[in-house]
Amino acid sequence: MTDRLTLSQSHLYTFRACPRRFYLRYLARVPWPEAPLGRAQELAYERGRRFHRRLERHFLGLPTTDDDEADPELRVWWDTFRGHAPPLPEGRRFVEAGLTAPIGNHFLTGRFDLLIVGDGADGQPAAHLFDWKTGDPRPLDRLRAAWQTRVYLAVLAEAGAALLPEAAAAFAPDRLHLTYWYVADPAQPRVITYDAAAHRRNWAELESIVAAIDSLLPAGAAEAWPLTDDLSECRRCAYQALTGRQAAGEAGPEAADEDEPPPDDWLEPQWG
Ligand code: SF4
């Protein structure tokens, strides 16, 4: 029997980008070869990670201090957050909470920067997700279509009640909100809402992608996993030499996608 996979938005992103890349990276566990990123992008990832750690400590009520923070940009980000954080509703807070829902023969998972279960503006139960972003701000329509948005809202609608059974009504699709807050555009948080019809469509497509992954699993061999026809994907893929796509060339750092896994995820598969 095939293992049940625990799939995140990065896995779905990768499978849709190129099934063979998904196979090589997460099933065959071929290490991502040297230096696919420039130094500037690596630094940006590291700074983003440190910012998230600091916010996590903040929301957990743990001490944070500027004294040992040598990075001036990180200090500016922190000051920006303290001065322009989005309004947070009252309610039960979950920090860096992971949530997993069964989907087909596998699982779908999300890890939320901050979840607050309380009341909506109408006084009825509601669940509010917050996601802190340190990259370039994205427009609302692009965020709405992002894998992160789709997976987070789907998992919360399907499995949120398990986190707080006494507040199950807060996890109905039309009671969910997801706010993206960008340190580069702190006064304009992007708020995305959801509803039952959107959830039905979203869940059906997620199920079909998971079913497509599932159908390829028994084959075992790499050749069963198709190569993408999109050479722009190959340009930012470190497996070119394994799949004969060296002629695709290399992409610039601007090609990175919002849902693309950060470098450390490339080395540690998240399934099992
Ligand atoms: S180089 Fe292209 S075809 Fe090969 S694994 Fe990467 S994305 Fe897929």
Side-chain angles (χ1 to χ4, degrees):
M1 179 182 156
T2 306
D3 285 336
R4 299 187 78 178
L5 308 183
T6 300
L7 298 158
S8 70
Q9 78 262 19
S10 296
H11 298 127
L12 300 188
Y13 166 88
T14 301
F15 181 76
R16 288 296 290 260
C18 177
R20 182 71 62 85
R21 191 199 299 173
F22 175 90
Y23 170 82
L24 292 170
R25 190 161 169 182
Y26 298 118
L27 303 183
R29 306 186 182 195
V30 176
W32 192 258
E34 269 306 294
L37 299 174
R39 179 71 182 141
Q41 203 174 348
E42 283 181 5
L43 282 174
Y45 276 128
E46 174 56 23
R47 190 175 278 138
R49 268 194 293 271
R50 288 166 58 201
F51 185 63
H52 277 78
R53 278 203 300 272
R54 183 153 192 172
L55 284 173
E56 181 183 0
R57 291 181 65 82
H58 168 74
F59 285 111
L60 288 172
L62 299 171
T64 57
T65 170
D66 282 337
D67 295 343
D68 56 359
E69 185 48 74
D71 184 338
E73 187 155 348
L74 207 49
R75 285 189 183 220
V76 169
W77 286 2
W78 179 240
D79 287 343
T80 301
F81 179 78
R82 283 193 296 204
H84 302 280
L88 300 179
E90 293 294 320
R92 174 83 179 270
R93 292 183 177 186
F94 298 85
V95 182
E96 291 290 334
L99 192 61
T100 298
I103 183 166
N105 293 326
H106 302 280
F107 298 100
L108 191 62
T109 193
R111 187 170 190 84
F112 314 135
D113 287 345
L114 177 65
L115 166 65
I116 302 178
V117 184
D119 288 342
D122 56 4
Q124 298 302 307
H128 309 260
L129 286 172
F130 293 86
D131 194 79
W132 320 120
K133 294 286 189 202
T134 57
D136 294 336
R138 309 283 193 213
L140 195 55
D141 55 349
R142 185 165 167 186
L143 289 170
R144 242 188 227 110
W147 287 109
Q148 180 178 11
T149 301
R150 299 180 57 186
V151 168
Y152 278 22
L153 290 172
V155 169
L156 197 59
E158 290 289 319
L163 278 176
L164 207 56
E166 66 272 28
F171 300 98
D174 62 352
R175 305 306 302 164
L176 306 185
H177 308 75
L178 169 54
T179 298
Y180 289 102
W181 181 86
Y182 283 91
V183 72
D185 191 12
Q188 306 287 338
R190 277 79 164 158
V191 182
I192 294 171
T193 55
Y194 204 42
D195 60 44
H199 181 56
R200 275 195 299 277
R201 287 193 302 273
N202 188 27
W203 190 253
E205 191 178 349
L206 294 170
E207 282 182 318
S208 77
I209 296 168
V210 173
I213 294 172
D214 191 58
S215 72
L216 292 169
L217 286 174
E223 290 68 31
W225 299 75
L227 305 175
T228 183
D229 293 327
D230 182 355
L231 292 186
S232 69
E233 288 296 343
C234 301
R235 281 184 208 112
R236 53 183 170 181
C237 179
Y239 294 140
Q240 289 181 4
L242 293 178
T243 55
R245 291 287 176 90
Q246 297 94 322
E250 288 185 13
E254 74 284 355
D257 189 281
E258 192 79 5
D259 284 325
E260 191 163 345
D264 52 356
D265 277 358
W266 288 339
L267 301 176
E268 288 297 328
Q270 299 175 10
W271 68 286

